[in-house]
Every structure is written in C-alpha cells, then in structure tokens.
Amino acid sequence: TNENPFPPSPHVKMAILAALGEEGSDLRLYPDPNATELKQTLANYHQVLPEEVFVGNSSDEVLAHIFMTFFRQPDAPLLTPDIGYSFYPVYCQLYDIPLKKIPLDKDFKIQPIDYSQTQQPACSGIILANPNAPTGILLSLQDIEQLLKFQPQRVVVIDEAYIDFGGQSAIALIKNYPNLLICQTFSKSRALAGLRVGYAIGQAHLIAGLERVKNSFNSYPLDRLALAGAVASLHDDAYFKQCCARIIENREMLVAHLEKLGFNTLPSSANFVFTTPPRHDAQTLAAQLRAESIIVRHFKVSRIDHFLRISIGTQEQQARLLEVLTRIVKS
C-alpha cells in the first residue's frame, strides 16, 4: 500500500491528544462539519481560497464523490490510462459510468494528444494519477496543460497522491483552468494513512458541487482527531520536507543497487519503484520474497505482469530486501 516508512510529525500526536479534551470529554461532541480550520490551513499552504478546498475521509472518498458529481454521463465515457490506479474502474462499475482506457505508449508514458477532442470527441472527463501508479512516471505541467486545453469543457482530475516525492503539483494551474481538479492525500508523504484525510482543490464552482454531494452522504466525514492531526502536519513543513527528502534519497539508493543486480527500473517520482527482474519470473520472485517476510506487489495485468512494485522503506528495510534479492538472483 506504499505506506510511509517514517512516523508523522511529532506535532501530530500532541495535537491529537489536545483534541481529546480533558479525560477525552471532547469526543462526545461532533466535529466541525465544514472542517473550517483544516480548509483554511490548506488554503494558506497551497495559496488558494478556502472555498477552493474540499476535504474528505481519505482521497479514496474524495475520488468517489468526484466520480459521483462529475462523471455520471451514460453516453460519454470517462477517459483514463490503461495502466493506472486500480480503483478508477471500480468506481465506474459502482456508479455505472462508462470507461475508456487509453493505452500508455511503449515507454509507459501518457501522451496528451491521445485525449484530445480530435481523438476522443465524446467523453465525460479525464482522470489520471500523477505520478502514475503503479509506474511512478511523472507527467509534466506542460503536458497537463495540454490535456486541459484538449478537453476544455470537461473536468480533468489529476490524482496527486505521490506528487511530493519528486513532482511539481498542478495546483498552480487552478486559477487559469476552470475544468481542473486536483486530489491529494495525507496518507503518503505526511505519513497519516491511519487518520484517513484527503482533499481536492479546484475553482469554487467545482468545489460547491462536491460539497452538495458530500452533504447528501455524510455531513461529518472527518473526526475531531483527524482534523487536529492534519492541521498540525501542515504546520510542521520542515519535518515534512525532511521526510520527503529521505524517501527520495532512499529511492535513488535502491534504484542504483537494483541496477547492479540487473533489474530494469522505470524512472520514478513516487515513493515506490516499478522494476523488472533480470531473469526471474516476477510473480515467482514476489512469492520468494514473501516467504522471507518481504512483501512487494505483483500485478497479473497485461503489459506489466513482468514488473514488481517495491515501496521505498528505511535504509535498514532496503538493506534486508537487497540481501535477499542478491541471494535469489545469484543462486
């Protein structure tokens, strides 16, 4: 699940304890249904307006509301890469949304021209992860602008769950593109997967639509402890940047060692790498690693069934992985 190997900011724990109140008495009260402080803090952090921020119980819930709000058009398919986040097709099945998968190119990259009105005259919108999952490959801001210009009347959702590990967020484009919606999470780079906090940023008219759907479903998606922890995390930017830098450093170290073992690894801007073993079958190798209590991800999917996805860990965890890989590969 690509969890962060490092703990969250120590300020998070202190904020959560404070949010409990004396002897936990504040837990008897409902949380702020509008998450006012968190939205304001996110707005300040990303230099947008509070009415341009939507929050939810994980980015998965935020994405579910996005699908419900913008993509339920029975005569127009949603466009997404053929290799991408596995939940997108699940949401389409759940909400009865037609889906059209656009193939990545031979290098597993997204080509914006493939999503243009010339190539795709009818669609309900576009959604993609950037960096992409499970490849880890980053799409440039220039390419994202091309997508927005190619489909100006359709909502384009950029899922930035991994953007903090080497990419530049497209949030800077929000002011110029009324059809752009960015989705982010506290689960990966902020090490708060256990709190379940996600959010979206877009122009106010898009956020207002999401709020109407959310309030019809659950007025209180974030509890008091999650709200407090998320705000505290945003206030400790130095720790956040240090943690991301450590993961990037460990990723580069892992890629270099994998290369020495003969692995071929795609360029990653995420907290994982997508790599092919030199000679071994990827599924068999994943099973051999699991027998050593090391879990990596293998996808039984056409085009990528010879890859393994490996989450970036601590240096100690990666040393153990490389020790076992070296033994297996050279046996």
Side-chain angles (χ1 to χ4, degrees):
T1 51
N2 300 322
E3 291 158 327
N4 197 312
F6 303 114
S9 162
H11 294 293
V12 170
K13 179 181 178 181
M14 293 186 289
I16 289 175
L17 290 173
L20 289 171
E22 188 175 351
E23 296 184 354
S25 62
D26 284 357
L27 292 184
R28 64 191 171 82
L29 303 171
Y30 282 102
D32 174 10
N34 295 316
T36 306
E37 184 183 8
L38 177 56
K39 287 180 181 178
Q40 183 65 65
T41 307
L42 281 166
N44 294 343
Y45 188 85
H46 290 295
Q47 298 183 334
V48 298
L49 299 173
E51 55 266 33
E52 295 175 323
V53 180
F54 176 84
V55 299
N57 191 287
S58 77
S59 61
D60 283 334
E61 182 186 74
V62 173
L63 287 168
H65 289 328
I66 289 171
F67 275 68
M68 172 71 80
T69 306
F70 300 113
F71 298 145
R72 298 190 71 187
Q73 300 180 32
D75 299 326
L78 174 64
L79 307 180
T80 196
D82 65 334
I83 298 170
Y85 184 37
S86 58
F87 252 74
Y88 301 155
V90 173
Y91 290 136
C92 286
Q93 290 179 338
L94 178 62
Y95 296 127
D96 199 22
I97 297 169
L99 179 67
K100 184 173 184 180
K101 295 182 178 182
I102 309 299
L104 301 178
D105 70 12
K106 62 180 179 61
D107 297 317
F108 298 100
K109 295 180 179 179
I110 294 168
Q111 294 298 330
I113 189 65
D114 295 337
Y115 296 79
S116 66
Q117 285 185 318
T118 303
Q119 300 289 331
Q120 311 295 338
C123 75
S124 62
I126 298 170
I127 187 167
L128 55 90
N130 190 45
N132 198 12
T135 66
I137 294 177
L138 184 72
L139 193 66
S140 70
L141 289 186
Q142 291 77 15
D143 284 339
I144 291 172
E145 282 201 86
Q146 286 295 310
L147 286 171
L148 294 161
K149 292 175 180 177
F150 282 147
Q151 294 286 355
Q153 303 304 315
R154 297 291 179 262
V155 174
V156 176
V157 178
I158 308 299
D159 183 356
E160 294 186 341
Y162 303 101
I163 197 65
D164 297 318
F165 301 112
Q168 183 179 359
S169 174
I171 290 174
L173 303 177
I174 290 290
K175 61 182 180 295
N176 296 324
Y177 294 96
N179 60 326
L180 174 61
L181 196 58
I182 306 295
C183 186
Q184 288 199 14
T185 178
F186 282 73
S187 295
K188 310 299 183 183
S189 57
R190 295 188 180 275
L192 291 175
L195 286 190
R196 316 306 297 129
V197 182
Y199 61 99
I201 294 180
Q203 290 192 13
H205 65 283
L206 297 179
I207 300 304
L210 288 172
E211 291 285 356
R212 286 194 294 273
V213 169
K214 184 269 287 186
N215 288 330
S216 299
F217 175 72
N218 181 4
S219 298
Y220 303 96
L222 288 175
D223 62 57
R224 301 177 71 88
L225 308 186
L227 289 170
V231 168
S233 174
L234 289 166
H235 284 314
D236 194 355
D237 203 43
Y239 181 90
F240 164 73
K241 290 177 179 177
Q242 180 188 48
C243 188
C244 290
R246 292 173 70 188
I247 290 174
I248 292 170
E249 179 183 2
N250 287 0
R251 181 184 69 209
E252 293 173 351
M253 187 182 307
L254 177 61
V255 170
H257 281 90
L258 288 173
E259 184 178 349
K260 291 179 182 178
L261 290 176
F263 284 73
N264 183 23
T265 306
L266 296 182
S268 175
S269 296
N271 66 339
F272 58 83
V273 296
F274 208 46
T275 189
T276 56
R279 292 174 299 278
H280 291 65
D281 173 74
Q283 183 175 2
T284 301
L285 182 54
Q288 290 174 304
L289 289 171
R290 181 177 285 269
E292 300 273 356
S293 299
I294 298 172
I295 300 176
V296 299
R297 185 78 183 272
H298 175 260
F299 297 84
K300 295 182 182 180
V301 177
S302 177
R303 294 187 69 191
I304 60 171
D305 56 358
H306 56 298
F307 281 88
L308 293 177
R309 190 191 69 187
I310 304 174
S311 296
I312 302 305
T314 64
Q315 291 190 11
E316 292 77 14
Q317 289 169 337
Q318 293 186 173
R320 168 67 176 153
L321 165 72
L322 291 166
E323 173 197 345
V324 175
L325 278 178
T326 300
R327 179 177 2 114
I328 294 173
V329 169
K330 293 187 177 181
S331 62

